[in-house]
Amino acid sequence: MSAGRDWAAWHDAYDRPDSPLAQRLLAVQARISQALDQAPPGPLSAVSMCAGEGRDLIGVLREHPRARDVTARLVELDPGIAQVARQSALDAGLTQVEVVAGDAAQVSAYAGLVPADLVLACGVFGNITDEDIARTIRGCTGLCAAGGTVVWTRGRGEPDLVPQICDWFAAEGFVLVGVSEPGTPWGVGAHRRSE
């Protein structure tokens, strides 16, 4: 992650509807909603790495008809930010959403919920090396259930790594559901794990 950045203050841009971060959030939420809409009936599990305040998943589950089907774990390193997410889940009545203050790189943080039907890697790929992005995508094969969906983000500044990220997912047996157009400053993608 970017050293020295005030991550709590960084989240403030979500509250400005015209900000790229707020616009990216809407695109992420649309992908999450689509994944829930297309998931088979019955219980679902979701995990979110580097979850921040959980605005993506909590924001969708607050209104989504499948909300009660979803048991989720959000993993966020910063305890203060994790507490904001925890309170947001409680305020939304989402008692089945657990927020853990921990290291998202530790697979043990997801124990009991993986392989999951929905894996969120939002805000991750722009803060780690290319090699670590490829490694994380390989790790998604263990985190994501067959038929499950990974939703991810990455800035589209030059060099635009989004096409390479799509190739890395394809190499691991994931099928592209969709990715935002190159003209946007951010990339939001969704890949489904082959069954």
Side-chain angles (χ1 to χ4, degrees):
M1 299 299 272
S2 303
R5 178 174 276 184
D6 181 346
W7 289 105
W10 177 86
H11 284 82
D12 293 344
Y14 282 120
D15 296 322
R16 297 191 305 273
D18 61 336
S19 74
L21 195 57
Q23 294 166 6
R24 184 188 83 175
L25 175 61
L26 292 175
V28 168
Q29 289 176 329
R31 289 289 177 197
I32 292 170
S33 187
Q34 178 186 28
L36 294 177
D37 290 344
Q38 295 175 352
L44 301 170
S45 61
V47 295
S48 178
M49 55 183 85
C50 302
E53 295 178 349
R55 293 182 187 223
D56 46 18
L57 185 60
I58 293 169
V60 171
L61 293 180
R62 183 178 284 121
E63 305 285 333
H64 200 278
R66 299 281 316 265
R68 297 292 169 226
D69 293 340
V70 180
T71 300
R73 182 171 304 137
L74 284 60
V75 181
E76 168 55 44
L77 186 61
D78 185 291
I81 295 172
Q83 181 54 38
V84 171
R86 196 173 293 115
Q87 189 61 53
S88 293
L90 287 173
D91 292 347
L94 299 170
T95 56
Q96 76 284 12
V97 174
E98 176 188 18
V99 180
V100 174
D103 186 348
Q106 299 300 314
V107 176
S108 60
Y110 311 101
L113 281 184
V114 292
D117 302 290
L118 178 62
V119 175
L120 302 180
C122 300
V124 176
F125 294 165
N127 294 294
I128 58 178
T129 66
D130 294 1
E131 293 79 15
D132 284 338
I133 294 170
R135 186 176 301 114
T136 301
I137 291 169
R138 285 192 302 274
C140 283
T141 60
L143 295 178
C144 187
T149 302
V150 178
V151 177
W152 54 271
T153 63
R154 165 67 189 221
R156 296 214 71 155
E158 292 300 328
D160 183 0
L161 197 63
V162 168
Q164 180 61 63
I165 290 170
C166 290
D167 289 346
W168 284 330
F169 270 108
E172 297 301 325
F174 287 85
V175 176
L176 178 65
V177 174
V179 67
S180 54
E181 294 297 320
T184 58
W186 35 261
V188 174
H191 281 80
R192 185 167 293 118
R193 186 165 176 220
S194 299
E195 299 194 39

